[in-house]
Amino acid sequence: MIKPYFPPRPGDPPPLRVEVRRRVRFEELDPLGIVWHGRYASYFEEARVALGDRYGIGYRDFQRQGVVTPVRQLHLDYLLPLRFEEEVVIEGILHPSEAARLNYELTIRNGRGEVATTGFTVHLMLDREERVLLVPPAFFLEFQARWRRGELP
């Protein structure tokens, strides 16, 4: 088992999950014939966008509420290379946090189901003037309450 980047705390609801399936495109390869390391950030983005769309907490949902969620931290652990036309599964996992931030853990599996890459991103919540929020905005607090009650799909 891979050690989680965000260990669960007592009383936390289970993390939210989504999977995105895609094929590696030729333009994503480096001269060695494997996926260029810089592409993994966009793979992670695909899973975060899918998770946000599924649960109604995507970038546009935050923007409508006057909040932006820039990446504060990005971490990747490369374990196995990905190759042209290989089908990959990108799993996005949102972990609960009491702070005004989003903690995403991400796992990419290759066509054989092996873990190829793991990582995480941390996103801060800022207001329109780009000031860091100290507490989550009201709409996100409501979302968290539904999450804790198990009301999310």
Side-chain angles (χ1 to χ4, degrees), residues 16-117:
L16 303 176
R17 298 173 181 269
V18 70
E19 286 188 354
V20 174
R21 295 182 183 279
R22 68 182 317 280
R23 286 202 179 277
V24 173
R25 298 185 316 247
F26 182 77
E27 60 132 342
E28 298 168 334
L29 305 181
D30 67 12
L32 299 174
I34 60 176
V35 171
W36 175 61
H37 67 277
R39 289 290 182 173
Y40 288 84
S42 66
Y43 288 0
F44 283 8
E45 179 77 4
E46 287 184 52
R48 288 194 312 264
V49 167
L51 203 147
D53 289 348
R54 178 174 182 185
Y55 293 105
I57 55 164
Y59 291 116
R60 294 282 186 220
D61 299 300
F62 276 95
Q63 287 176 337
R64 280 192 288 277
Q65 300 294 327
V67 177
V68 294
T69 56
V71 173
R72 167 70 171 95
Q73 196 173 11
L74 166 66
H75 176 87
L76 293 117
D77 288 307
Y78 302 100
L79 306 171
L80 296 171
L82 299 173
R83 301 186 186 284
F84 178 54
E85 292 187 330
E86 187 168 21
E87 184 174 319
V88 297
V89 176
I90 309 160
E91 181 181 27
I93 304 166
L94 178 62
H95 291 272
S97 173
E98 297 300 317
R101 62 188 261 174
L102 300 165
N103 296 331
Y104 291 98
E105 183 173 354
L106 301 122
T107 302
I108 301 175
R109 288 184 173 75
N110 64 20
R112 294 173 301 286
E114 301 165 315
V115 175
T117 309

